[in-house]
Amino acid sequence: MTTPTAKTPNSYRTGPDEHGHFGIFGGRFVAETLMPLILELEAAYNEAKADPAFQAELADLSAHYAGRPSPLYFAERLTAHFGGAKIYFKRDELNHTGSHKINNCLGQILLAKRMGKTRIIAETGAGQHGVAVATVAARFGLPCTIFMGATDVERQKPNVFRMKLLGAEVRPVTAGRGTLKDAMNEALRDWVANVDDTFYIIGTAAGPHPYPAMVRDFQSVIGQEAKQQILEREGRLPDVLVACIGGGSNAIGLFHPFLDDLDVDIYGVEAGGRGLDVKNGHAASLNGGRPGVLHGNRTYLLQDEEGQILEGHSISAGLDYPGIGPEHAWLKESGRVSYVSATDQEALEAFQLCTKLEGIIPALEPAHALAYAGKIAPGLPKQAIIVMNMCGRGDKDIFAVADHLGMEI
Amino acid sequence: MSEADLQTRIAEKFQALKAAGRPALVTFITAGDPDLATSLEIMKALPEAGADVIELGMPFSDPMADGPAIQAASQRALAAGQTMAKTLQMVREFRATDNDTPVVLMGYYNPIYVYPAEQFVKDAKAAGVDGLIVVDVPPEADDELCIPAMRAGLNFIRLATPTTDDLRLPAVLQNTSGFLYYVSIAGITGTQAPVKERVHRHVARIKQQTDMPIAVGFGIKTGAQARELASGADGIVVGSALVNAIAESLTENGQAGPRTVANVKAIVAELSEALTNGASH
Ligand SMILES: Cc1ncc(COP(=O)(O)O)c(C=O)c1O
């Protein structure tokens, strides 16, 4: 038999293996204190996943609390503007709390409850995940502590206030440089010190196994709905999927149900910041980083020659994470998904364009995805279909945008 | 002889101390804190002050298992330009005058992974390192670092914690050699104080499964604490207290001060004295 390489797997949807590996990526690189906890979490998640009662409760909350399914919207005027492929938005910005983050938080809080945990912790960057966690914690009556870099607390005041209104304790993290990765370090430290009662709701498809797979599963509702909706609407699958990439949760949620539909081209859009050639001026882990180990998994990281982690930069606080979920690292190496980038400037332009032409104020994160969709749409035939994940709304970003445009609010 | 039995300065030291009826004082400092020259001076002063084993921290930007004191030490070292090459060079220079005190490098995986690991274990051994403690590489990933380290002749020292139950303990012990590091609290370095009775219970429980020496660490600050926690164990690890002594001695602009080395020596001497006297009572 001549199978020289196992490069093209039979399916792109079978990962991870039992140790949490996607190819060489993923795994469980955590301190011993946490090891028994994540093994327990994995067992509890596997049980819950197979339990129809758990799935039914999640589906009910998704429908009546979060507002799913989110619509699939034909962005007619943007389509006309770009003059090529039809652009559809998967409108997860309409979810309760304003982004896709709620999909994952509902799943994890149900799991926390099932495991008998009585305290919730989480990290947040822009505050979208923090708000979603504070929301579900309020809904289920559990106390929660949100770790947020001190720099981000300053930058994202409205979300900080929202979390406080929802009853969360927001703990500013001054360690390191006070941004998202430092908040995640601090959440892990808290977890190590509160192993008995605490559940850590990680906000993206990263961290030690089983988080990347679990977060993906909870976010896959995006892609499952999108697939059904586009089939109903157009009678066929899309030609292209586009989503922005921070840690990768909204993207993997849209992509995963389509990974084995090989005629669908898939693009993940990283934050190009001031440009990929600017040292530490972007947050494009896949395009401008190298494999390494951080926060419990092996993946692409922004790091220097010594293996010290860099902060990265993006106009969007939700994208400036120096890592990326391990499944994306594997999808990049296997060639199934193309990872590209959009700069701060391109995202700002897309933000304004979308607002003016569609009456939808996007978050700066999906504005990156739209910027890239706008680049490829003109080169595609008019009957081609692009589905883009509009994973968050831009209310949180109006101050940052005003600042960049030199406008007074 | 299996690889796990490999004899380094660590095994010799623990055997000698056992014969002398005294627990080992394992001291932690971060390489390059507050600067390379001062750090080397501190390292050289440690054995004379009473340290039996030296743990040398490899600074990392994201020390997830460490409290504020060691986080700050890492940042001071990195700000002063510490690199892995400089850390290994430090060990080499230390070995020029001390061929007896075991040196264990402690840190996180990423700087080793990018070195890369296979080369790192060889270079570390050649520099005079005896063992490695890498916080975020669990037994499940032994193939990556633990096995290559053993092949290179380095002890791979693992942490057991209050959450490591009897079911999991054999996996933790399996490829561990030199000594086992018992983490006295569920938590990070330099924060809560351990509860003596609880530590004794856990150490006794682990002793039923291994003959390896056990050193107890995390949260030990004073001689009295060290003495209490050492009973039933084979050694005590002190880190944050030394690192704090460095921090408190720095000048206003964060440079080494006139008492930086002396401060560390004083606290090590106090700890050593407590352990020595405690053992003879
Ligand atoms: C609206 C929105 N989109 C995207 C992200 C990035 O996360 P991920 O890549 O996990 O979807 C965030 C994170 O805060 C966000 O708020």
Side-chain angles (χ1 to χ4, degrees), chain B residues 90-180:
Chain B
M90 231 178 115
V91 178
R92 234 174 271 125
E93 288 180 32
F94 174 80
R95 280 277 169 258
T97 56
D98 185 326
N99 198 29
D100 170 52
T101 309
V103 173
V104 175
L105 292 182
M106 178 162 187
Y108 296 81
Y109 188 25
N110 198 52
I112 296 174
Y113 179 73
V114 303
Y115 190 91
E118 291 276 350
Q119 189 60 43
F120 174 78
V121 294
K122 286 181 200 146
D123 290 358
K125 179 71 184 179
V129 171
D130 301 287
L132 294 182
I133 300 176
V134 185
V135 178
D136 52 353
V137 183
E140 285 76 359
D142 267 0
D143 289 349
E144 313 216 353
L145 185 59
C146 171
I147 306 289
M150 287 181 357
R151 295 224 170 97
L154 295 170
N155 289 128
F156 199 82
I157 295 144
R158 224 181 305 264
L159 310 181
T161 71
T163 59
T164 312
D165 59 20
D166 284 336
L167 221 63
R168 193 173 157 72
L169 192 54
V172 170
L173 291 172
Q174 187 174 27
N175 289 319
T176 300
S177 65
F179 64 94
L180 181 76

Side-chain angles (χ1 to χ4, degrees), chain A residues 19 24 28-37 39 175-177 181-182 185-186 188-189 192-195 290-296 298 301 303-309, chain B residues 59-67 71 75 78 82-85 109-111 113-114 135-141 144 159-161 163-164 168 172 183 185-188 192:
Chain A
H19 302 295
I24 68 158
R28 285 185 275 235
F29 295 92
V30 298
E32 174 60 23
T33 313
L34 288 182
M35 219 35 220
L37 277 79
L39 293 172
R177 294 213 185 83
K181 82 172 171 71
D182 307 301
N185 290 335
E186 208 57 31
L188 286 165
R189 291 182 186 117
V192 169
N194 296 284
V195 292
R290 287 178 297 136
V293 176
L294 181 72
H295 293 153
R298 181 178 3 247
L301 300 173
Q303 54 182 320
D304 68 13
E305 313 72 45
E306 285 284 315
Q308 306 296 344
I309 308 304
Chain B
F60 182 47
S61 52
D62 295 80
M64 282 148 309
D66 285 300
Q71 289 173 37
Q75 287 195 352
L78 291 174
Q82 191 68 11
T83 61
M84 198 64 106
Y109 188 25
N110 198 52
Y113 179 73
V114 303
V135 178
D136 52 353
V137 183
E140 285 76 359
E144 313 216 353
L159 310 181
T161 71
T163 59
T164 312
R168 193 173 157 72
V172 170
V183 175
I185 51 161
I188 53 177
Q192 305 125 272

Side-chain angles (χ1 to χ4, degrees), chain B residues 167-218:
Chain B
L167 221 63
R168 193 173 157 72
L169 192 54
V172 170
L173 291 172
Q174 187 174 27
N175 289 319
T176 300
S177 65
F179 64 94
L180 181 76
Y181 187 146
Y182 181 69
V183 175
S184 64
I185 51 161
I188 53 177
T189 55
T191 50
Q192 305 125 272
V195 179
K196 173 178 71 172
E197 292 75 13
R198 219 177 280 163
V199 173
H200 291 163
R201 251 193 336 265
H202 279 287
V203 171
R205 169 174 72 91
I206 297 169
K207 286 253 174 207
Q208 291 179 347
Q209 290 200 32
T210 183
D211 294 329
M212 219 174 341
I214 299 178
V216 176
F218 276 43

